[in-house]
Amino acid sequence: MHDTTALLIELGAIILVLGLLGRLAGRVGFSPIPLYLLAGLAFGHGGILPLEASEEFVATGAEIGVILLLLLLGLEYSASELVTSLKTQYPSGAVDFALNAAPGAATALLLGWGPVAAVALAGVTWISSSGVIAKVLGDLRRLGNRETPVILGILVLEDLSMAIYLPILTALLAGVSLAGGAVTLLIALGTVGAVLYVALRHGRLISRAVSSDNAEMLLLVVLGLTLLVAGIAQRLQVSAAVGAFLVGIALSGEVAEGASSLLTPLRDLFAAVFFVFFGLHTDPADIPPVLLPALALATVTALTKIATGYWAAGRAGISAKGRWRAGGTLVARGEFSIVIAGLAVGVEPRIGPLATAYVLILVVMGPLAARWTEPLARRLSPGRTRSAPPGPVTPAEPAEAVHASR
């Protein structure tokens, strides 16, 4: 009874603090992710108020948080959208990978962390935060701008790439042999291809089988199916997160919209728990030694993301101002960077503090970069043609145009 009482008190305190931090972030106009990470640092080992009774529960909640993040992400994309993005935006995706994964890999090797940590840190620096970017685009009323489809195309390719990257990273972290890693990669590629094919050809049948007019039944079926597939995927070393993402892609139409609205509050709760859990396992005393490398890495990869957006928007025929805006908008890192670092801390514990500091810097710098590139572009190219003016923003537009957060 004593343990149960302590668990309830700690969980209640955690959720209450998260709610207050979320409200504070909303009033300031920033993502709550850095505040959640700081809360985890405060509640973790070496923090000002370490938790003990609820640690196991929080760990389970963190796993569910990752699964729900990827499920909701998949629900926002249709198979046809993914295929279209692959056909039209793959050069931009290749440039994005080359410019932004390389600094992370190089940093890990320079620090002597080894090749597996280099692959992990490459992912941390590669993936932008579509959750933060969605909010920035809505706040700055840029959803109707000509450069916005370019930004969304890059984000779509990053998300789809995770279905290949995460199984490879999981296999490397598990110490699988070269042959075993090749098999894992083939399984991942085959699974992604099969899901896209089935979703394109038979998506309506799948959605009809899952569909229900009863919200409770729809919630139970979709959540149960997702957890089941995620567990099977993890058993096959393809990553539970990828399994959840593929379930989301397979569902479409009204089923996807209904499931998304029902699961969004659960995602927000467990995603917050996930960020707290990551902070819990990062000792605040480990951050100062990696603060300088994190700041240097954040500066370099902010510039490489700006270069990525500038190049991709230029390829689409966007004016100079729109190119700068596209680059600045892509700077923010967040959810996926923490997910990747969380997987890798077992192999290289120092990647946790570095990723925490890195994300804290860029999740704050990202919205500022998006705002500052506009006056910077105006000074750099005062005589150039202006981009198309932003269209009217409706309440539904951010979710439809930006495809919820990762």
Side-chain angles (χ1 to χ4, degrees):
M1 177 64 73
H2 177 72
D3 290 343
T4 304
T5 302
L7 174 64
L8 291 174
I9 291 173
E10 287 190 1
L11 286 178
I14 291 172
I15 294 172
L16 177 60
V17 169
L18 292 178
L20 295 174
L21 291 176
R23 290 182 63 180
L24 175 61
R27 291 187 178 183
V28 176
F30 274 87
S31 167
I33 293 174
L35 297 182
Y36 294 157
L37 288 172
L38 291 174
L41 292 173
F43 291 141
H45 302 292
I48 58 176
L49 189 61
L51 301 179
E52 296 179 2
S54 59
E55 189 169 346
E56 185 175 346
F57 182 91
V58 171
T60 303
E63 290 187 25
I64 295 174
V66 173
I67 290 170
L68 289 177
L69 277 170
L70 271 293
L71 170 63
L72 268 292
L73 180 65
L75 289 173
E76 294 297 332
Y77 294 130
S78 68
S80 59
E81 286 175 328
L82 291 175
V83 171
T84 300
S85 290
L86 277 174
K87 290 179 178 178
T88 59
Q89 297 282 356
Y90 71 89
S92 300
V95 170
D96 179 37
F97 171 76
L99 289 181
N100 297 288
T107 299
L109 293 175
L110 288 172
L111 292 173
W113 292 355
V116 176
V119 173
L121 196 56
V124 170
T125 59
W126 172 22
I127 304 299
S128 298
S129 171
S130 57
V132 176
I133 290 170
K135 180 172 176 53
V136 168
L137 288 172
D139 289 347
L140 298 181
R141 302 181 64 82
R142 293 182 182 173
L143 291 167
N145 280 22
R146 288 190 61 209
E147 73 272 6
T148 298
V150 174
I151 297 169
L152 301 182
I154 291 173
L155 295 178
V156 170
L157 283 178
E158 287 183 351
D159 293 336
L160 187 58
S161 298
M162 285 295 98
I164 308 301
Y165 169 82
L166 286 177
I168 294 174
L169 178 62
T170 303
L172 290 173
L173 293 172
V176 176
S177 64
L178 181 61
V183 170
T184 299
L185 178 58
L186 287 175
I187 292 173
L189 288 171
T191 304
V192 172
V195 169
L196 289 176
Y197 175 81
V198 171
L200 281 169
R201 297 289 183 179
H202 309 291
R204 291 183 180 180
L205 292 177
I206 298 173
S207 297
R208 193 179 304 163
V210 174
S211 178
S212 174
D213 293 332
N214 186 306
E216 180 183 352
M217 295 302 103
L218 179 62
L219 174 64
L220 291 175
V221 170
V222 173
L223 184 57
L225 177 64
T226 302
L227 293 175
L228 177 63
V229 172
I232 294 172
Q234 189 161 313
R235 182 64 61 89
L236 295 173
Q237 292 188 333
V238 177
S239 169
V242 171
F245 180 59
L246 295 177
V247 170
I249 293 174
L251 301 178
S252 61
E254 293 182 2
V255 172
E257 293 177 8
S260 180
S261 63
L262 289 171
L263 288 166
T264 296
L266 280 178
R267 178 203 63 188
D268 294 342
L269 170 62
F270 284 105
V273 170
F274 165 72
F275 293 120
V276 169
F277 174 75
F278 187 81
L280 286 175
H281 288 264
T282 303
D283 191 332
D286 293 335
I287 290 183
V290 298
L291 194 55
L292 191 58
L295 184 59
L297 191 58
T299 302
V300 170
T301 54
L303 294 175
T304 53
K305 275 293 182 183
I306 291 172
T308 298
Y310 190 93
W311 184 88
R315 178 174 170 270
I318 309 298
S319 69
K321 292 181 181 180
R323 296 177 201 177
W324 284 108
R325 284 196 297 267
T329 304
L330 287 169
V331 166
R333 310 301 203 277
E335 304 92 321
F336 252 128
S337 298
I338 296 299
V339 170
I340 294 166
L343 292 173
V345 289
V347 172
E348 177 49 68
R350 289 171 293 181
I351 202 171
L354 178 64
T356 300
Y358 176 78
V359 170
L360 283 172
I361 293 167
L362 284 185
V363 84
V364 173
M365 187 189 297
L368 297 178
R371 288 172 169 85
W372 289 344
T373 47
E374 175 71 32
L376 175 63
R378 193 180 299 123
R379 285 195 294 269
L380 290 176
S381 53
R384 300 289 182 89
T385 303
R386 294 175 63 99
S387 303
V393 178
T394 62
E397 227 175 347
E400 294 170 1
V402 184
H403 306 293
S405 63
R406 65 174 74 77

